[in-house]
Amino acid sequence: MAITKTQTQIPEVPNHQKEEVLNDFRLAVMSRHASLMGRKEVFMGKAKFGIFGDGKELAQLAMAKAFRLGDFRSGYYRDQTFMMAIGELTVQQYFAQLYAHTDVEAEPASAGRLMNGHFATRSIDENGDWKELTKMYNSAADISPTAAQMPKLLGLAYASKLFRENKELKNLTQFSVNGNEVAWGTIGNASTSEGMFFESINAAGVLQVPMVISVWDDGYGISVPKEYHTTKGSISEVLMGFERNENEKGFEIIRVKGWDYEGLKSAFLHAGALARKSHIPVLIHVEDMTQPQGHSTSGSHERYKSAERLQWEKDWDCIVKFRDYIISNGIASDDVLDQIDNEAKVEVKRQKDAAWNEFSGEIKNEIQEVISLLKSTAEKSTRKVVLLQMAEDLSKTLNPIRKDAISTVRKALLLLRFDSENLKSDLKNWYKVQEEKNLDRYNSHLYSQTEWAVEKVKEVPALYNEKSAMVDGREILQAFFDYTLEKDPRFFAFGEDVGKIGDVNQAFSGLQAKYGKNRVSDTGIRECTIIGQGIGAALRGLRPVAEIQYLDYLLYGLQMLSDDLASLLYRTKGGQKAPLIVRTRGHRLEGVWHSGSPMGMILSSLRGMIVCVPRDMTQAAGMYKTLLESDEPAIVIECLNGYRLKEKMPLNLGEFNVPMGKPEILREGKDITVVTYGSMCRIVAEAAGALAEIGISVEIVDAQTLLPFDTYGVIGDSIKRTNRVLFADEDVPGGASAFMLQQVMDGQNIFKYLDSEPQTLSAKAHRPAYSSDGDYFSKPSVDDVVEKIYEIMHEANPKKFPSL
């Protein structure tokens, strides 16, 4: 059975007019010159690192012809020609990113926060409002990890399926026009070896979504030939089992050469039309591509390619073959093409120089300001000689960067530490202004800075009366999700066992039958692409809840959460957002794999996300409400052992919320503050009852959220009253307990109020052993909490609390 459709099998399209072909040639050579000059800029020390799209120009021009307004790209760092062809990247912007220009106007993709070749369009305006995505060419923000663009691509395509099939979404025309948008992915041939690629291919085939994946195959992955990467040396051969036929749905698989202008146009136009009209996923394997400058500026491909291979790449370079095509078809002569090439080279140099002058000019101004300040300060200081030498050294710095100016000022202020404030005030004031500017340049937008930030959501408490029913905690969540599904058509949930049975703990019980499979959906066992499915859908204006069945399984999707979702707002400096909510469950249960509390891992890797740790399902419902009113991504970790515990049903379900970053005092006390969260709240509460009987008064504070962590100062105020503190949780030693201690010690200035050493109580370093005994000897028990607090009180008052 044939596994590919070659260009001869694809319906022919008429040749483009001469002007269009020559415009394509002009774009191709401009992109090539940008690559060639970019490499030289790195070697001249004007940029840190370079990775370029040379050799991929022709295929990307063809892809641009099939790309329509409203479509999305999720690609990788060699797609510069495509971005130029759709008008979303100028040569000057390209070089601004190479130089790491921090001005979002000069470098709109990342404001200098990403290395070159990382492309993005700005989906939201400066206020955080969504733009008219259907009237734009859209590129999801790139990430470097190989194949990590694929799970998000699945989600971008899945959103089109929802927009087409869910009638309640038809009026959201700023996000979709009847689901006609195609998600276009690009990937290098070697990266198709990654599990993320295969998982995305499988999920797309199951879901039947409008996703076109282009594999740029230049025969190598860094220095390793494709025979080491791919069975049979061909990804299209490997995927033959995914190809659709008359009786079975699957992928359309197309194979085409990277130097074949007409074949490439036909392939991409055919793929785009098929995906757009029929929501059939397509894989285009573009073979015989080249990489003229090798992988990147970090090495030379002459070290690992034979002389024969290098010569073949010169002969079959797509631009060389494009020239041959143009001349042989009588479209233009060699002289005309040489003129276009020369003009393109001049224009690229002009825009490169403009980018450099704009980037370096800003820094040179700062350098001159510092030199002037150092000289004027020197005239009044006893350290005149040293200050003037510092100014001289700074003035001679070749290709100075911002760090040179700032570091010099900091050294000068240290030198002047014994001088009067009046003498060094100009330097200090300049440094203070620059600190604020640099905070914005390099550190802003980790979290939302819009009116939809979680901190801006107005608190609405839960209401009860004497008739409020006691129900299982899961029933509160089920009622909340029911309410939200009815009120907001953008809201949907999906994950393993979520659909038909309503999740393993029944929080979606009966809701698929009520709202349909597009609103409450089952998935395969594929955590990585569950996360990607959610990211892509959230990027297109929907409000997904992606469920990871157990917290321990988060590891499968952690890279997508960390490298993509958590850093999205930051790495676009507020240009894109994906307010995905990840729902999972953990904490107390029995055994190595279903009792996870790896909070330290989450806190370290998911900065940029909200991390909610509700103690019960009422709190969880309130947190979901807050998150759905905000525009920030989040993870909510419910208590595994809390679904069947009884709670009061709030009267204002679906309206009340829980503030983020505001701990709640569960029990007042005067001897010691215990800060905890999640299932440990019940453990500590039981221990506090036992301690009260022997005269120890414990104040219990539920952190509620770990990111953000106590932005209200609740814990510090409590410690001021009790003068002692214990941070308790189920994570490993040095995990979340140490994080909480650091946050309060560094952020709330509590040291002077402590009469005892601050303490932590955590689980053992290993995962919990199975059975109730395993739980008791692995994680903090009531007895552990009692003894730990008693030990602290014994040290404070040994007479009243003698040693045990």
Side-chain angles (χ1 to χ4, degrees):
M1 177 184 291
I3 68 163
T4 64
K5 296 173 177 61
T6 66
Q7 67 227 38
T8 58
Q9 294 171 299
I10 299 169
E12 292 289 335
V13 294
N15 286 338
H16 287 311
Q17 297 297 315
K18 175 180 177 180
E19 184 178 351
E20 182 181 352
V21 175
L22 294 182
N23 281 337
D24 284 345
F25 182 78
R26 184 176 291 104
L27 263 173
V29 293
M30 282 189 71
S31 180
R32 178 64 61 89
H33 285 300
S35 295
L36 296 172
M37 291 185 197
R39 186 178 182 88
K40 291 178 181 178
E41 293 298 280
V42 174
F43 291 153
M44 288 175 63
K46 294 166 71 176
K48 192 79 172 177
F49 177 80
I51 196 160
F52 308 104
D54 45 310
K56 315 295 189 289
E57 293 92 351
L58 214 56
Q60 292 179 30
L61 288 168
M63 188 170 96
K65 293 180 187 300
F67 201 83
R68 301 286 181 262
L69 291 172
D71 285 359
F72 266 86
R73 165 195 167 273
S74 180
Y76 83 133
Y77 40 69
R78 301 201 190 276
D79 290 346
Q80 68 199 48
T81 310
F82 170 80
M83 294 299 293
M84 291 175 182
I86 64 170
E88 293 298 333
L89 178 71
T90 66
V91 171
Q92 185 166 337
Q93 289 169 340
Y94 178 77
F95 280 98
Q97 188 174 66
L98 184 71
Y99 302 137
H101 197 159
T102 58
D103 186 341
V104 74
E105 296 298 323
E107 201 281 272
S110 73
R113 294 179 175 186
L114 298 179
M115 73 178 192
N116 82 300
H118 287 67
F119 308 114
T121 50
R122 302 190 73 77
S123 302
I124 54 178
D125 64 21
E126 61 276 6
N127 299 316
D129 291 312
W130 288 104
K131 295 180 180 179
E132 295 279 342
L133 301 186
T134 52
K135 298 179 181 178
M136 296 170 53
Y137 294 116
N138 301 287
S139 175
D142 288 341
I143 54 179
S144 281
T146 53
Q149 68 270 40
M150 291 293 106
K152 171 173 57 187
L153 176 68
L154 174 73
L156 292 167
Y158 181 67
S160 287
K161 181 183 179 77
L162 295 180
F163 280 119
R164 179 168 292 184
E165 296 183 1
N166 184 354
K167 294 180 180 179
E168 294 181 337
L169 298 174
K170 298 296 184 186
N171 64 327
L172 299 177
T173 54
Q174 72 185 110
F175 300 120
S176 178
V177 179
N178 196 39
N180 291 335
E181 300 76 26
V182 175
W184 300 80
T186 63
I187 188 170
N189 57 292
S191 296
T192 63
S193 303
E194 294 274 17
M196 288 177 287
F197 173 81
F198 281 99
E199 190 173 311
S200 300
I201 287 283
N202 183 60
V206 170
L207 293 171
Q208 289 292 286
V209 291
M211 181 171 103
V212 179
I213 299 176
S214 302
V215 180
W216 306 146
D217 190 348
D218 57 31
Y220 285 81
I222 310 181
S223 66
V224 181
K226 62 185 179 182
E227 289 77 14
Y228 287 84
H229 288 285
T230 311
T231 302
K232 301 181 180 180
S234 170
I235 191 61
S236 54
E237 292 277 353
V238 169
L239 296 177
M240 63 180 295
F242 285 86
E243 189 173 30
R244 69 192 184 110
N245 56 45
E246 292 180 359
N247 302 313
E248 297 172 309
K249 294 180 179 180
F251 265 76
E252 179 84 351
I253 298 178
I254 302 171
R255 183 182 291 170
V256 65
K257 302 300 185 182
W259 44 262
D260 181 1
Y261 181 66
E262 290 296 338
L264 286 164
K265 288 192 300 178
S266 297
F268 279 95
L269 289 170
H270 173 63
L274 192 63
R276 198 177 309 280
K277 180 180 178 181
S278 304
H279 279 198
I280 293 171
V282 184
L283 180 125
I284 305 177
H285 185 189
V286 186
E287 301 175 293
D288 286 3
M289 281 188 155
T290 63
Q291 204 150 276
Q293 298 186 109
H295 176 73
S296 68
T297 55
S298 62
S300 169
H301 62 157
E302 283 84 0
R303 293 184 301 161
Y304 55 85
K305 290 179 181 176
S306 66
E308 293 77 14
R309 172 69 191 190
L310 290 169
Q311 185 59 50
W312 180 90
E313 291 196 5
K314 289 180 181 178
D315 295 340
W316 290 88
D317 184 295
C318 65
I319 294 181
V320 171
K321 301 300 287 185
F322 194 20
R323 283 186 73 114
D324 292 345
Y325 164 85
I326 293 171
I327 293 169
S328 64
N329 282 278
I331 297 171
S333 65
D334 252 330
D335 290 342
V336 170
L337 297 182
D338 286 343
Q339 182 180 350
I340 292 173
D341 193 1
N342 291 331
E343 289 172 353
K345 185 175 182 179
V346 170
E347 177 59 18
V348 169
K349 184 180 184 304
R350 185 192 70 77
Q351 292 196 47
K352 172 186 71 70
D353 292 343
W356 174 253
N357 290 335
E358 190 172 326
F359 165 74
S360 62
E362 188 177 279
I363 292 176
K364 286 177 181 177
N365 288 338
E366 293 176 17
I367 295 287
Q368 289 303 315
E369 288 172 359
V370 172
I371 291 171
S372 177
L373 286 168
L374 288 172
K375 288 180 177 179
S376 62
T377 303
E379 293 302 319
K380 301 175 284 184
S381 174
T382 57
R383 310 307 300 269
K384 178 178 180 178
V385 174
V386 181
L387 289 172
L388 290 177
Q389 185 60 54
M390 292 171 77
E392 178 71 11
D393 291 343
L394 187 59
S395 69
K396 293 180 178 179
T397 304
L398 183 65
N399 294 330
I401 59 177
R402 185 162 280 118
K403 169 193 170 186
D404 297 318
I406 298 296
S407 181
T408 299
V409 170
R410 295 174 78 174
K411 288 181 174 66
L413 290 173
L414 181 63
L415 183 72
L416 298 170
R417 61 191 180 277
F418 294 117
D419 287 70
S420 68
E421 286 298 315
N422 185 54
L423 182 141
K424 55 191 176 185
S425 62
D426 289 344
L427 271 175
K428 288 183 72 172
N429 290 337
W430 184 90
Y431 178 50
K432 183 177 180 180
V433 170
Q434 291 302 311
E435 270 191 312
E436 293 177 1
K437 289 182 178 180
N438 290 328
L439 187 68
D440 175 68
R441 287 167 176 150
Y442 302 103
N443 310 118
S444 65
H445 292 87
L446 180 59
Y447 293 94
S448 175
Q449 297 179 198
T450 74
E451 61 180 290
W452 296 285
V454 290
E455 64 191 36
K456 302 286 183 66
V457 178
K458 184 178 180 181
E459 183 178 356
V460 179
L463 301 177
Y464 304 92
N465 62 21
E466 65 281 358
K467 294 182 180 179
S468 295
M470 295 295 290
V471 298
D472 287 350
R474 65 178 180 84
E475 295 181 68
I476 293 174
L477 281 179
Q478 195 265 358
F480 171 79
F481 290 138
D482 187 7
Y483 174 93
T484 307
L485 284 162
E486 182 179 354
K487 295 290 184 182
D488 188 351
R490 299 174 305 154
F491 176 79
F492 67 101
F494 60 98
E496 298 159 14
D497 294 322
V498 170
K500 188 171 184 178
I501 71 169
D503 94 40
V504 291
N505 298 104
Q506 300 292 283
F508 283 96
S509 178
L511 298 184
Q512 185 185 81
K514 185 174 181 180
Y515 294 100
K517 293 182 179 180
N518 286 329
R519 303 293 304 283
V520 183
S521 307
D522 285 311
T523 70
I525 300 174
R526 50 174 182 83
E527 288 81 5
C528 172
T529 49
I530 288 173
I531 296 300
Q533 196 171 328
I535 294 171
L539 275 166
R540 294 192 58 189
L542 297 175
R543 295 310 309 261
V545 169
E547 178 162 320
I548 299 298
Q549 195 164 89
Y550 296 105
L551 185 56
D552 310 78
Y553 301 162
L554 193 72
L555 284 166
Y556 288 99
L558 189 64
Q559 183 182 23
M560 299 310 307
L561 291 171
S562 181
D563 289 332
D564 199 349
L565 183 62
S567 69
L568 176 65
L569 192 71
Y570 169 78
R571 72 177 190 273
T572 60
K573 200 181 182 186
Q576 291 186 7
K577 63 181 178 181
L580 169 65
I581 299 173
V582 178
R583 179 183 181 233
T584 188
R585 51 194 64 82
H587 308 310
R588 299 309 272 247
L589 203 64
E590 296 175 359
V592 170
W593 286 287
H594 281 2
S595 55
S597 298
M599 306 308 299
M601 174 189 75
I602 290 169
L603 291 168
S604 294
S605 60
L606 299 188
R607 298 296 172 98
M609 292 183 68
I610 306 299
V611 177
C612 300
V613 282
R615 66 181 180 271
D616 58 33
M617 303 310 148
T618 303
Q619 295 299 94
M623 290 173 178
Y624 286 121
K625 175 62 175 176
T626 301
L627 294 171
L628 288 167
E629 290 186 23
S630 80
D631 63 358
E632 308 205 51
I635 179 169
V636 180
I637 304 165
E638 298 166 8
C639 298
L640 253 173
N641 57 3
Y643 294 106
R644 297 191 181 278
L645 297 180
K646 298 297 182 182
E647 302 178 37
K648 279 188 176 182
M649 177 67 78
L651 299 174
N652 57 339
L653 187 73
E655 299 175 4
F656 80 90
N657 59 36
V658 172
M660 305 285 106
K662 184 178 182 180
E664 182 178 353
I665 296 177
L666 304 182
R667 178 183 179 126
E668 293 184 351
K670 58 183 178 60
D671 291 327
I672 187 170
T673 297
V674 180
V675 182
T676 191
Y677 58 86
S679 293
M680 277 294 291
C681 289
R682 292 191 292 276
I683 300 292
V684 172
E686 187 176 340
L691 289 164
E693 295 179 2
I694 57 175
I696 298 175
S697 176
V698 178
E699 181 148 302
I700 303 173
V701 181
D702 176 11
Q704 298 202 104
T705 62
L706 296 178
L707 294 175
F709 185 80
D710 192 11
T711 57
Y712 290 75
V714 172
I715 296 169
D717 290 341
S718 175
I719 294 169
K720 290 175 186 178
R721 295 191 296 271
T722 66
N723 308 118
R724 296 178 186 84
V725 64
L726 172 68
F727 296 93
D729 82 329
E730 302 173 21
D731 198 4
V732 297
S737 58
F739 165 79
M740 293 189 291
L741 173 60
Q742 176 270 326
Q743 288 283 294
V744 176
M745 289 292 289
D746 291 351
Q748 299 189 29
N749 194 28
I750 64 164
F751 184 78
K752 61 186 176 183
Y753 298 104
L754 291 170
D755 291 338
S756 298
E757 179 184 354
Q759 299 277 327
T760 64
L761 176 64
S762 61
K764 298 295 190 290
H766 55 75
R767 295 190 181 195
Y770 178 62
S771 83
S772 297
D773 274 346
D775 175 80
Y776 181 82
F777 291 105
S778 302
K779 289 198 171 188
S781 66
V782 173
D783 296 329
D784 293 328
V785 176
V786 168
E787 289 181 0
K788 185 72 171 181
I789 292 174
Y790 187 89
E791 181 184 335
I792 294 171
M793 296 309 297
H794 162 70
E795 185 272 335
N797 190 345
K799 184 175 181 180
K800 184 175 181 181
F801 304 108
S803 62
L804 298 177

